[in-house]
């Protein structure tokens, strides 16, 4: 007996995933600044620690801020995307201002520490109000709308991706805040760099997984 194939109506069923799309990974990676952006973000605090041990806190702050300016100028000369560099420069400038006001090198990390705390809280709240920020931001970038809020599998995956990102920020806050209280400037720099690459790599993988599966769900839902 022949007939039309039966379509799966379960909300949990996904359209079979095709091969991994490199576009999603490339777009997210480029918007974070890529490997170059990650390396450049680690230079100002590294320079700060070295300069502080050689010349003291105020020259170290000047050198660290100068490094941030130099990175921005070099990216502009090479016609590389300025968004990551500009964001990094603003962060370095704020950090330098806080450290200069207090006269303590550890305050160079204070803005980052509290930013991690605030980011973790905002990300967690976005899950609780059923608008996980990973999904909201990706939808805004693509102009696709928040259709996935009415699709349970997609919403769940964006919840997971947002929770992983919140955990990354929370972990960095806990570790760096403890080192800040102990005035361990050298370990602050080491931990900031050491936790940067592996944690962001993990978060990026989960985000890409959630985005790809949600994109597949969008196609499935349109064809229902």
């Amino acid at each position: 007996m022949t007939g039309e194939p039966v379509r799966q109506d379960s909300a949990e069923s996904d359209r079979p995933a095709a091969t991994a799309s490199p576009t999603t990974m490339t777009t997210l990676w480029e918007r974070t600044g890529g490997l170059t952006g990650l390396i450049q973000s680690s230079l100002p605090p590294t320079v700060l620690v070295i300069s502080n041990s050689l010349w003291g806190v105020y020259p170290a702050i000047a050198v660290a801020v100068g490094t941030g300016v130099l990175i921005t100028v070099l990216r502009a000369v090479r016609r590389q995307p300025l968004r990551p560099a500009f964001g990094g420069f603003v962060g370095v400038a704020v950090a330098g201002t806080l450290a200069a006001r207090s006269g303590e090198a550890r305050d160079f990390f204070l803005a980052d520490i509290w930013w991690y705390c605030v980011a973790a809280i905002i990300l967690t709240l976005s899950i609780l109000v059923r608008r996980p920020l990973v999904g909201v931001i990706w939808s805004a970038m693509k102009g696709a709308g928040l259709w996935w809020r009415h699709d349970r599998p997609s919403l769940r995956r964006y919840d997971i991706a947002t929770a992983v990102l919140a955990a990354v920020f929370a972990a960095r806050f806990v570790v760096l805040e403890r080192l800040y209280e102990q005035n361990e400037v050298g370990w602050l720099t080491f931990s900031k760099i050491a936790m940067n690459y592996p944690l962001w790599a993990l978060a990026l993988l989960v985000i890409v997984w959630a985005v790809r599966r949600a994109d597949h769900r969008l196609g499935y839902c349109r064809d229902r």
Side-chain angles (χ1 to χ4, degrees):
M1 181 177 178
T2 60
E4 292 294 328
V6 178
R7 183 181 297 274
Q8 295 291 334
D9 289 330
S10 170
E12 294 295 326
S13 63
D14 283 343
R15 170 175 290 185
T19 57
S21 170
T23 304
T24 301
M25 174 70 83
T26 301
T27 301
L28 290 172
W29 183 240
E30 287 176 348
R31 286 179 180 272
T32 62
L35 180 60
T36 301
L38 288 175
I39 294 174
Q40 289 174 347
S41 68
S42 68
L43 288 178
T46 303
V47 169
L48 174 84
V49 172
I50 296 173
S51 302
N52 184 55
S53 64
L54 294 175
W55 306 306
V57 61
Y58 290 109
I61 294 169
V63 173
V65 173
T67 301
V69 173
L70 180 61
I71 290 172
T72 304
V73 171
L74 286 176
R75 290 186 71 92
V77 170
R78 295 176 179 177
R79 297 185 178 181
Q80 296 175 325
L82 290 179
R83 185 182 302 172
F86 181 74
F89 170 72
V90 171
V92 170
V94 171
T97 300
L98 292 175
R101 290 184 62 181
S102 67
E104 296 187 37
R106 67 174 182 169
D107 282 345
F108 190 83
F109 301 88
L110 191 59
D112 276 347
I113 291 172
W114 288 108
W115 156 242
Y116 299 149
C117 179
V118 171
I121 292 172
I122 292 175
L123 287 163
T124 302
L125 289 176
S126 76
I127 297 172
L128 296 177
V129 299
R130 314 310 294 160
R131 287 174 173 79
L133 273 182
V134 169
V136 171
I137 293 173
W138 181 251
S139 296
M141 288 165 54
K142 293 190 66 178
L146 302 182
W147 65 271
W148 45 265
R149 293 191 62 238
H150 307 290
D151 181 60
R152 185 172 298 177
S154 298
L155 178 61
R156 183 176 63 249
R157 287 167 185 138
Y158 279 137
D159 280 343
I160 293 171
T162 303
V164 169
L165 194 58
V168 167
F169 281 111
R172 299 187 78 180
F173 167 73
V174 170
V175 172
L176 295 183
E177 198 277 334
R178 181 68 179 272
L179 292 172
Y180 175 86
E181 292 296 331
Q182 296 174 355
N183 199 21
E184 296 285 355
V185 178
W187 282 108
L188 276 167
T189 300
F190 174 80
S191 298
K192 179 180 172 65
I193 296 171
M195 296 179 72
N196 199 16
Y197 299 96
L199 291 182
W200 278 121
L202 172 62
L204 186 63
L205 286 174
V206 177
I207 291 171
V208 169
W209 164 78
V211 165
R212 286 184 55 238
R213 298 306 295 171
D215 285 349
H216 289 154
R217 287 292 299 177
L218 174 59
Y220 169 78
C221 293
R222 281 175 173 170
D223 292 343
R224 290 188 61 181

